[in-house]
Amino acid sequence: MKKAFIAAMALSMMVSTAASAAVVVTSTPATDPYTGPTPTYDFETPAPVTGGSIVTGPNTPAHTRPFGSTGYYLSAGPLDGNPAVIDLSAFADIGSISFLWGSMDQFNLFELLDAANNVIYSVDGHTLKDLAAPQPGNINRVITFTFDDLVTQSGVTFARLSSTQNAFEIDNFNVQAVPEPATWLMMILGFFGLSFAMRSRKAQSSLRVRYT
């Protein structure tokens, strides 16, 4: 009973902490071959996208393949279609989104929308470019948005890409759901159980007698 109470208190503290923040952004260099999160949508097979263009092949004036991308990728811009919208309604509560961002330019805009198409969060490429080490020209990064705000987690329904110039290209779009409270509780209880087992094992080992 005491362990269950402690676990419940720990879970409550985690939820309270989550409610105090909104979106945490991390930026890591793109690699070839790609080494980021396993994509939910790699655009090699049909994805819930409207607008934009899913393209492949050599670079053109309309789009440039993101560094580390293979096969098909999503592009939004004046020549490829504007905006491109990814439907995320299949995910009840989203904990994080990540994708390979091909060119982080100030004319590239990424937005998260709720079910009524209200903008929950928006950021342009130039702003996120400041997270990376200084580098001339366009840069290719794996960008991760982690949602620590409970309202954001439950409200994200669409991801919208738009660009006033050619183009905003992404690939390997990954969606991670928020763990269910029961999952968190089981994890916490598991940590307590592991800690107890380690202490028990240590106590037993101290009673062993070594004969020589």
Side-chain angles (χ1 to χ4, degrees):
M1 178 65 70
K2 184 177 179 181
K3 290 182 180 178
F5 174 76
I6 295 173
M9 288 295 293
L11 178 62
S12 175
M13 291 176 63
M14 292 170 64
V15 171
S16 299
T17 302
S20 65
V23 180
V24 177
V25 183
T26 56
S27 171
T28 59
T31 57
D32 189 11
Y34 171 80
T35 57
T38 301
T40 307
Y41 305 120
D42 60 6
F43 307 112
E44 302 300 316
T45 57
V49 177
T50 57
S53 297
I54 296 177
V55 297
T56 189
N59 298 336
T60 74
H63 46 256
T64 300
R65 182 188 303 278
F67 181 72
S69 171
T70 58
Y72 289 86
Y73 57 95
L74 176 62
S75 175
L79 294 179
D80 279 334
N82 240 340
V85 178
I86 304 174
D87 188 344
L88 304 175
S89 59
F91 304 92
D93 295 293
I94 299 176
S96 68
I97 288 173
S98 68
F99 55 86
L100 175 59
W101 190 321
S103 54
M104 300 173 65
D105 300 296
Q106 62 184 7
F107 47 81
N108 293 341
L109 181 64
F110 177 72
E111 299 171 295
L112 296 171
L113 291 75
D114 64 15
N117 288 318
N118 297 309
V119 176
I120 300 174
Y121 175 81
S122 66
V123 67
D124 62 74
H126 181 75
T127 299
L128 292 187
K129 190 174 181 179
D130 292 340
L131 293 175
Q135 181 176 340
N138 296 338
I139 55 176
N140 295 248
R141 311 283 293 187
V142 176
I143 303 295
T144 301
F145 302 90
T146 302
F147 310 130
D148 287 339
D149 182 83
L150 299 180
V151 175
T152 305
Q153 291 171 356
S154 61
V156 172
T157 309
F158 303 102
R160 184 165 67 189
L161 291 67
S162 58
S163 183
T164 57
Q165 299 184 37
N166 297 311
F168 185 175
E169 307 97 342
I170 71 166
D171 200 359
N172 298 334
F173 194 92
N174 173 271
V175 183
Q176 292 289 331
V178 177
E180 295 292 334
T183 303
W184 281 114
L185 185 58
M186 290 302 295
M187 289 174 61
I188 294 170
L189 290 175
F191 288 135
F192 276 110
L194 180 61
S195 176
F196 177 79
M198 291 178 65
R199 287 197 300 270
S200 176
R201 182 176 180 181
K202 183 177 181 181
Q204 291 177 7
S205 64
S206 65
L207 295 175
R208 290 175 183 170
V209 178
R210 183 179 179 184
Y211 294 94
T212 58

